[in-house]
Amino acid sequence: MGSSDQAEDARALELESLVKQLRYHELAYRAGAPEITDAAFDDLFDRYRELADALGVSADARLDAKPGADHTEGFAQVEHRVPMLSLEKVTPNRRDSHGEAVSLGEQLETWYERRRKDLSIDEGAPLPLLVEPKIDGISVSLLYVSGQLERAVTRGDGRRGDDITRQVRQAHAVPEELRGVSGALEVRGELYWPHHAFEAHNAKLKAAGEKPLVNPRNGCSGMMKRKHPAGLEDVGIRSFLYQIPWSEGLTLPDTQHAVIAWLADAGAPVYLDALHLASDAEDALKHCEGFDARREALGYDIDGMVIKLDELRWYDRLEGTGHHPHWAIAYKFPPERKATKLLSIAVQVGKSGKLTPVAELEPVFVAGTTVSRASLHNFVELERKDVRVGDTVFVEKAGEIIPQVVGIDTTRPRGLEPFPRPTECPTCSAPVLSEEIFIYCPNPACPDQIRERLEHFASRGAMDIDGLGESLVGLLVAERELTSPEQLFRLRLEDLAGLERMGERSAKNLLDALERAKTRGLERVLIGLAVHHLGTTMAEELGRHFQNAQRLLEFAARYVAGDEAAIAEVAPAKGSGVIEGMAKKTADSIFEELNSEAMRRVLRELAEAGVSLVSTQTDALEPWKASRARVSCSRAHCPT
Ligand code: IVH
């Protein structure tokens, strides 16, 4: 085999591994339990795109073939008159096919020159660009007729979105009226949560003893997807409007900067102060770079800049892809990155036995906090980056919570050894299993797994057992030898009262909380049992469909036995609006685990302990109709 064949093979393998990682993290994200930051997800996606381009992956086989779906059940769906696409972007970590870094300036220049060529604009002839902030919110499409707001719709899958008119109205997030505007028009923009209002909301939550929201963007999205909008008027969600993709019966300006000024005249919220009309790519880049310093003072989150051709007459001339138009490109700010020393690598055991490498670092201050531990994701990633103990590594937080090791200083001292993949569990020494890119401890009695599982079972998104947090679970496992969730419900006052820092009163409270948890219903039990690949949405769908554990288990047995009717129920013919792509594999794994002896035993014992295994949803809708498990770059906040 020639060396170029070998290189090609290595790239194909890397691509395969990236697809698995992206699918995995996509599902984790959708299940409400992301394991990596958005920035780390973007980096993986960028590398995927690069390799998919280089290897000529066909357009419809690519993960980024379509923008993602954000449909929420209970919301009416509306077809967009003009599809709402994503943006192509220039990004700090890009490499060319030879692995050479490509600067932001070079990427932008290439994009700009290509547009000149597409439009046959001679060198020297002007092609102005408008640079706008890229608001980190949720996109919205607004319909105004005779100046009055008629409808507000989310991006959804780009073709159809959810009708959020009531929510947007109640929140006073967009103008009810566009002054002096006749005819009909669609205006697009971004809903966002200004920092001061977001922080005030979080302060209220904290004062009420509730968990604060993680960030304004997700918070805003959650607010706009509230089924009952009452109360939204006080939360302070706002918008910026920036585009008019369709209109009838009115004359609009012919440049993007004039459209924004026109919107401002009509009383729409716009970011006039933050605009820059650039003469060329270099000028646009300079403005983007300078804008990073202004971010702090804006009072709202932006995740980059958008660079658009200013003259609207070109937009229809440029073809674009099904994913993004060619008249604009996004610029991503480089996240704050610090160098520090990797002191050691710890291997953590998760609730499902997954072994995760975690970097133990010399403490370093990054984006507002001191970081001494950072995620290394998984062993495939660790090997891909060739991270070794003793290396100087680069750490980023990229505005999110979990710090990441994003790379290493390759001028490392001699003698550093690659970190070996574990062959046994660091806690219980069981020989490990490998599944796709992950390594698992297969021993359900592994003490780390037991602790993690019980903690998860008791957590807010699962059985929500008040007062049963990390330290108490640790004590119950160590001192009362708890191994399985049903044992929680058999605890008596005397079992609890003797534990460290546990008085009679707290013990009673915990027993009350356990009593309350018994009625959470089948969905929460399924979530709590941490079945592989079974996220919140899917647990809810199973609950709604089967109504109780008995019917679910009967079905699982039929499915695993190869009953064709059962298999068809999960994955009907492709294209029928059912979970596609991953569905069969996911379903195989979920039903096999549900059908296992261990799972049947736990469910039986939970029922015997008085835990309800009946669904809390009585309106048995057809569960498999919601096609939302499509695996593509469908993060609600995918920045592309
Ligand atoms: S123009 C084809 N301008 O970014 C989409 N988008 O990553 C053209 N966004 O879905 C949109 N600020 O929700 C545009 N000043 C801005 C923006 C902006 C934020 C969002 C928008 C879009 C996403 C694409």
Side-chain angles (χ1 to χ4, degrees):
M1 192 194 269
S3 65
S4 68
D5 287 349
Q6 277 171 2
E8 181 107 342
D9 275 3
R11 286 195 297 179
L13 277 176
E14 188 183 344
L15 185 79
E16 204 178 302
S17 146
L18 284 165
V19 169
K20 284 181 185 158
Q21 295 187 58
L22 285 163
R23 287 197 159 133
Y24 174 84
H25 289 303
E26 175 66 19
L27 288 179
Y29 178 85
R30 282 171 171 273
E35 293 177 15
I36 61 174
T37 65
D38 293 355
F41 186 88
D42 288 351
D43 284 352
L44 288 175
F45 219 103
D46 283 347
R47 178 69 185 149
Y48 165 82
R49 282 208 186 94
E50 229 165 58
L51 287 174
D53 286 346
L55 296 170
V57 176
S58 72
D60 46 346
R62 289 175 62 124
L63 294 183
D64 52 356
K66 283 201 184 122
D70 72 356
H71 173 55
T72 305
E73 244 169 75
F75 282 79
Q77 286 188 288
V78 179
E79 192 104 12
H80 295 302
R81 205 182 296 262
V82 181
M84 290 182 86
L85 300 182
S86 294
L87 285 170
E88 184 184 1
K89 65 175 185 239
V90 295
T91 169
N93 303 321
R94 181 134 318 149
R95 300 190 170 273
D96 66 15
S97 53
H98 309 292
E100 296 290 321
V102 187
S103 73
L104 289 166
E106 286 166 320
Q107 294 170 53
L108 190 56
E109 197 62 49
T110 306
W111 175 84
Y112 186 64
E113 286 311 317
R114 227 171 256 159
R115 297 301 80 96
R116 279 186 170 284
K117 221 165 125 209
D118 295 340
L119 298 166
S120 313
I121 296 177
D122 296 339
E123 217 176 299
L127 181 61
L129 298 168
L130 189 69
V131 188
E132 303 176 13
K134 187 167 186 300
I135 313 300
D136 193 12
I138 60 169
S139 27
V140 67
S141 154
L142 306 169
L143 177 67
Y144 287 90
V145 178
S146 306
Q148 301 300 312
L149 175 70
E150 292 244 315
R151 203 166 57 197
V153 183
T154 65
R155 178 164 88 165
D157 66 1
R159 319 271 149 206
R160 293 147 63 88
D162 286 358
D163 187 327
I164 54 166
T165 316
R166 288 167 56 233
Q167 288 71 5
V168 161
R169 250 201 184 119
Q170 186 84 17
H172 308 299
V174 308
E176 230 5 90
E177 183 194 356
L178 290 182
R179 274 193 314 260
V181 175
S182 54
L185 75 166
E186 186 186 332
V187 187
R188 289 189 183 162
E190 205 78 2
L191 298 166
Y192 70 98
W193 209 342
H195 292 160
H196 68 91
F198 173 73
E199 278 149 23
H201 183 81
N202 262 351
K204 273 195 205 154
L205 287 179
K206 278 192 217 150
E210 289 181 46
K211 220 167 134 185
L213 301 173
V214 176
N215 63 46
R217 194 210 165 278
N218 291 3
C220 173
S221 160
M223 287 291 158
M224 292 296 107
K225 286 295 180 85
R226 272 202 185 166
K227 301 228 163 76
H228 305 291
L232 285 178
E233 62 279 11
D234 297 326
V235 301
I237 305 251
R238 293 292 171 262
S239 62
F240 282 122
L241 307 188
Y242 49 69
Q243 198 197 353
I244 304 177
W246 172 87
S247 68
E248 207 171 61
L250 69 161
T251 314
L252 290 168
D254 49 19
T255 59
Q256 172 65 7
H257 78 270
V259 163
I260 293 185
W262 183 92
L263 283 167
D265 283 346
V270 294
Y271 33 57
L272 272 182
D273 294 350
L275 294 177
H276 175 74
L277 189 56
S279 55
D280 58 18
E282 198 184 328
D283 182 4
L285 180 73
K286 226 169 54 211
H287 178 73
C288 292
E289 286 169 347
F291 208 88
D292 206 352
R294 288 175 58 185
R295 283 169 85 179
E296 273 297 301
L298 287 177
Y300 52 86
D301 284 342
I302 64 173
D303 60 348
M305 306 294 281
V306 186
I307 301 162
K308 303 175 179 175
L309 298 186
D310 191 44
E311 291 172 280
L312 301 175
R313 65 190 160 127
W314 302 128
Y315 286 24
D316 286 342
R317 288 262 308 271
L318 292 167
E319 276 180 356
T321 72
H323 176 265
H324 56 257
H326 279 154
W327 45 260
I329 193 156
Y331 166 95
K332 302 274 289 178
F333 294 117
E336 190 182 0
R337 174 178 293 200
K338 286 279 178 67
T340 188
K341 195 160 167 204
L342 177 62
L343 303 175
S344 61
I345 295 176
V347 178
Q348 277 182 350
V349 187
K351 60 182 182 295
S352 54
K354 192 199 292 166
L355 304 190
T356 308
V358 177
E360 314 259 6
L361 305 164
E362 213 162 76
V364 59
F365 196 74
V366 191
T369 58
T370 302
V371 169
S372 53
R373 285 164 75 83
S375 171
L376 287 162
H377 308 311
N378 57 58
F379 290 93
V380 172
E381 254 311 282
L382 186 144
E383 284 157 20
R384 192 171 78 82
K385 294 200 185 103
D386 189 22
V387 180
R388 302 184 186 189
V389 173
D391 270 336
T392 295
V393 296
F394 299 109
V395 182
E396 271 179 19
K397 269 212 321 208
E400 296 275 331
I401 326 117
I402 323 155
Q404 317 284 324
V405 169
V406 293
I408 57 164
D409 181 349
T410 45
T411 58
R412 61 160 59 108
R414 280 168 186 276
L416 300 186
E417 295 292 329
F419 189 77
R421 277 189 189 212
T423 52
E424 56 181 46
C425 170
T427 307
C428 72
S429 305
V432 299
L433 286 182
S434 293
E435 191 189 300
E436 307 205 319
I437 55 168
F438 297 112
I439 297 178
Y440 290 93
C441 162
N443 172 17
C446 170
D448 267 359
Q449 274 194 59
I450 292 175
R451 225 176 357 83
E452 294 276 340
R453 276 203 303 269
L454 287 177
E455 242 179 85
H456 172 78
F457 186 79
S459 66
R460 175 115 60 105
M463 297 297 272
D464 197 8
I465 306 173
D466 235 5
L468 187 55
E470 192 178 331
S471 58
L472 187 52
V473 169
L475 281 176
L476 287 171
V477 173
E479 314 244 325
R480 297 291 178 267
E481 297 180 356
L482 251 60
T483 54
S484 178
E486 79 281 355
Q487 293 170 331
L488 288 168
F489 298 99
R490 301 198 190 286
L491 287 169
R492 290 158 309 166
L493 201 59
E494 55 269 34
D495 298 323
L496 294 169
L499 291 170
E500 207 180 300
R501 275 179 288 141
M502 174 70 86
E504 189 158 326
R505 196 182 155 145
S506 342
K508 275 208 181 101
N509 286 344
L510 181 62
L511 291 181
D512 286 348
L514 281 161
E515 219 33 57
R516 287 197 300 276
K518 285 182 182 172
T519 60
R520 302 264 186 255
L522 177 62
E523 293 78 0
R524 299 289 204 96
V525 172
L526 290 175
I527 296 165
L529 292 177
V531 178
H532 280 83
H533 308 303
L534 185 68
T536 307
T537 308
M538 189 87 83
E540 281 168 1
E541 289 185 357
L542 290 180
R544 196 159 37 234
H545 191 60
F546 292 105
Q547 293 289 303
N548 62 49
Q550 192 187 342
R551 287 179 54 195
L552 171 63
L553 292 182
E554 277 165 17
F555 178 87
R558 279 172 50 213
Y559 184 96
V560 171
D563 179 322
E564 277 177 24
I567 293 170
E569 201 168 330
V570 178
K574 207 168 156 39
S576 55
V578 177
I579 308 165
E580 289 172 13
M582 286 281 289
K584 177 78 170 66
K585 235 169 125 186
T586 310
D588 286 356
S589 155
I590 290 174
F591 291 119
E592 190 166 325
E593 193 171 338
L594 286 173
N595 190 46
S596 69
E597 203 31 62
M599 193 58 77
R600 287 176 176 274
R601 185 185 53 75
V602 173
L603 286 168
R604 195 169 53 238
E605 289 177 356
L606 281 170
E608 281 167 13
V611 176
S612 161
L613 300 181
V614 175
S615 168
T616 49
Q617 311 168 82
T618 46
D619 56 331
L621 299 171
E622 289 217 54
W624 304 109
K625 289 281 160 69
S627 110
R628 62 162 92 86
R630 169 172 209 105
V631 173
S632 61
C633 180
S634 56
R635 306 199 129 195
H637 50 318
C638 173
T640 65

